[in-house]
Amino acid sequence: MEKIVINGGNRLHGTVKISGAKNAAVAIIPAVVLSDGICRLENIPDIQDVNLIARILEQMGARVTKPEKDVLEIDPRGIREPVATYDLVRHMRASSYLLGALLGKFSRAEVALPGGCDFGVRPVDQHLKGFGILGAKHSVEGGMIKVKADKLVGGHVYLDVVSVGATVNIMLAAAKAEGRTTIENAAKEPHIVDLANFLNSMGADVRGAGTDVIKVNGVKRLGGTTYSIIPDQIEAGTYMAAVASAGGDVMITNVIPKHLESITAKLREMGVIIEEYDEAVRVIRNNRLRRCNVKTMPHPGFPTDMQPQIAAILTMADGTSIVNEAVWDNRFRYVEELCRMGAEISVDGKLAVIEGIDQLKGAPVKATDLRAGAAMIVAALGASGTTEIEDIRHIERGYENVVEKFKGIGADIKRVYTNDPVIQTA
Ligand code: UD1
């Protein structure tokens, strides 16, 4: 079993470079399916989720090479059958993007129901509603979602909830459909804009991404391209939270400060000093953090994927804070782990009330999902004593070289292998 072991209390200092955005990469890699040529993708993070989605394309017949550490070249022309089985897709949520991409390319697709982080019911009704408006029928058989259209024709889709996944999937299905598709109440996350820019670089006609109305004028053919994906907003936010937790002075590079605004605003409210540069932010924390309230919202609101990390630092702020999780139903499973470190948190439905204490104390904890795992690291860096984090495979799904990067800014952190027998109780 692998664990991350952190001795807390070191102030962080130096420079850390952020990798390409996971959530952009896992949308753009499936989008390559739509192309009739080779796509070179740059600034690709070396993380499990990305390697998995690339492997899924490879097993479906694409040729995938990695000419450089952060570059993938994908030739999708060998994909003949638009089918992704459970064996291939069960570990990742974003495999549902294959539905839109394969449907857009072949007018039909079969993809197993997706896995990924477990924080409540994760429906795909809005994805299917969008496909339906474009003329595709769907069914669920043997754990596979099947979608099929005689011909995809653009239409007017009004999303009932702001969904990143549905917005991505409808953009993918619409890129080569006949006529115009309009997506209203669309998600506005930076990776939606990145996907639109990528599709346009292949020859698509997508307008309005980044606003809540996206218009996709279908084109007949999409070709090869070279594209560099955006830096990871959430990875950057996690390092910002880590400095807030441990204290110190760190320059975080390869970021787009505009994407970090909601995180920057909250950290400033807590007393953290943040200086913004063209492609970097400098984060300085010297004094005790102040309490604040946080409500997660779709972009440009505070991202739900930063909720566990911000809660981790609020446990050591001066006063009582309220965290309102307004995107997911069940995203407080990590709270139990923070309480093992001495945090005082009570949860009532979508609200967590956090009574700040002076300092957390190291303890054995688990990464219950990707961002919960990141929150354990953030908490451990500011805690006294030693924290051992189990189930780190979740963390490695989304953070490139996490141990090495934290070590580089002065953290006492290591990955260890143990032969502990796993004792299971009912
Ligand atoms: C994406 C992110 C995830 C992030 C989330 C919200 C990726 C790979 N994952 O997930 O990290 O936490 O956005 O920012 O980019 N919903 C429905 N019906 C649907 C689809 C969604 O009711 O058909 C609801 C969900 O239950 C949830 C909300 O809409 O309450 C937002 O979900 P969505 O934006 O779709 O999240 P994902 O795309 O799965």
Side-chain angles (χ1 to χ4, degrees):
M1 187 168 49
E2 280 183 88
K3 289 181 188 175
I4 289 177
V5 178
I6 296 173
N7 291 310
N10 282 12
R11 286 170 63 80
L12 303 179
H13 56 86
T15 300
V16 62
K17 184 174 175 225
I18 297 307
S19 303
K22 170 180 97 68
N23 287 349
V26 298
I28 286 172
I29 293 170
V32 170
V33 166
L34 290 162
S35 168
D36 290 331
I38 298 172
C39 294
R40 178 182 161 91
L41 305 178
E42 299 175 346
N43 200 32
I44 291 288
D46 186 6
I47 51 175
Q48 287 295 326
D49 269 13
V50 162
N51 297 336
L52 202 57
I53 194 85
R55 210 165 65 225
I56 293 172
L57 289 198
E58 201 170 25
Q59 293 190 2
M60 291 175 68
R63 207 170 62 82
V64 181
T65 55
K66 198 171 185 174
E68 289 161 49
K69 188 185 150 294
D70 61 352
V71 176
L72 279 182
E73 273 181 10
I74 306 177
D75 181 348
R77 288 171 294 192
I79 299 178
R80 306 262 177 252
E81 264 303 288
V83 179
T85 59
Y86 183 70
D87 273 354
L88 288 178
V89 309
R90 64 190 167 139
H91 293 301
M92 66 178 306
R93 174 77 186 167
S95 53
S96 64
Y97 295 158
L98 286 168
L99 268 180
L102 292 167
L103 179 65
K105 173 86 170 190
F106 297 96
S107 296
R108 69 187 174 90
E110 292 182 28
V111 177
L113 290 165
C117 278
D118 175 15
F119 28 77
V121 179
R122 299 187 75 163
V124 288
D125 56 299
Q126 298 301 306
H127 307 225
L128 297 175
K129 168 174 151 172
F131 296 153
I133 289 169
L134 269 61
K137 294 207 165 25
H138 76 268
S139 61
V140 178
E141 289 167 42
M144 305 283 283
I145 301 183
K146 301 185 178 183
V147 283
K148 194 172 187 318
D150 291 335
K151 184 166 81 168
L152 289 169
V153 180
H156 198 103
V157 185
Y158 202 115
L159 294 178
D160 299 328
V161 289
V162 181
S163 160
V164 171
T167 305
V168 167
N169 248 336
I170 298 164
M171 284 164 74
L172 294 174
K176 293 178 73 182
E178 189 180 295
R180 170 179 285 192
T181 299
T182 304
I183 311 170
E184 304 236 28
N185 201 23
K188 298 183 282 221
E189 268 64 8
H191 41 289
I192 299 284
V193 179
D194 212 33
L195 173 65
N197 289 339
F198 170 69
L199 289 170
N200 288 344
S201 80
M202 289 199 296
D205 182 356
V206 182
R207 301 169 191 205
T211 75
D212 52 14
V213 184
I214 298 177
K215 295 191 169 114
V216 184
N217 296 308
V219 296
K220 289 217 154 42
R221 184 180 173 276
L222 294 173
T225 184
T226 293
Y227 190 80
S228 181
I229 70 163
I230 51 169
D232 199 304
Q233 172 203 30
I234 306 299
E235 188 196 13
T238 301
Y239 283 89
M240 292 167 83
V243 181
S245 176
D249 180 348
V250 174
M251 189 67 91
I252 301 173
T253 63
N254 190 34
V255 301
I256 298 175
K258 176 87 190 147
H259 292 170
L260 303 173
E261 272 176 351
S262 61
I263 302 164
T264 299
K266 270 298 149 202
L267 292 175
R268 282 185 175 148
E269 216 177 307
M270 295 171 71
V272 179
I273 299 165
I274 298 173
E275 295 172 2
E276 294 179 353
Y277 298 89
D278 283 350
E279 292 181 355
V281 287
R282 180 178 173 194
V283 183
I284 304 165
R285 202 274 281 169
N286 293 319
N287 302 318
R288 185 161 185 209
L289 296 170
R290 291 193 290 267
R291 60 154 303 277
C292 73
N293 295 337
V294 180
K295 180 173 182 177
T296 66
M297 304 226 272
H299 192 79
F302 190 87
T304 171
D305 288 353
M306 275 300 298
Q307 182 261 99
Q309 300 92 311
I310 204 92
I313 52 178
L314 287 173
T315 61
M316 293 182 278
D318 189 10
T320 305
S321 308
I322 296 176
V323 175
N324 181 346
E325 173 54 58
V327 176
W328 294 108
D329 288 337
N330 181 15
R331 206 170 186 171
F332 286 126
R333 284 174 58 208
Y334 66 87
V335 161
E336 226 174 281
E337 304 302 311
L338 287 181
C339 290
R340 297 162 66 78
M341 300 175 75
E344 291 184 12
I345 309 176
S346 58
V347 174
D348 185 4
K350 292 189 156 200
L351 292 186
V353 179
I354 304 176
E355 306 283 352
I357 59 168
D358 282 347
Q359 197 176 23
L360 296 174
K361 293 192 184 68
V365 294
K366 274 199 301 254
T368 52
D369 65 48
L370 168 60
R371 305 304 173 187
M376 293 306 124
I377 295 180
V378 167
L381 291 168
S384 62
T386 305
T387 299
E388 295 193 0
I389 307 172
E390 279 182 16
D391 288 348
I392 61 170
R393 65 182 191 285
H394 289 298
I395 301 173
E396 288 173 343
R397 276 186 42 215
Y399 289 87
E400 179 171 305
N401 286 339
V402 68
V403 168
E404 294 72 15
K405 284 192 186 185
F406 273 115
K407 223 183 249 173
I409 49 174
D412 181 346
I413 179 171
K414 60 185 177 207
R415 182 186 281 99
V416 297
Y417 301 83
T418 63
N419 291 321
D420 287 356
V422 180
I423 300 165
Q424 288 185 336
T425 52

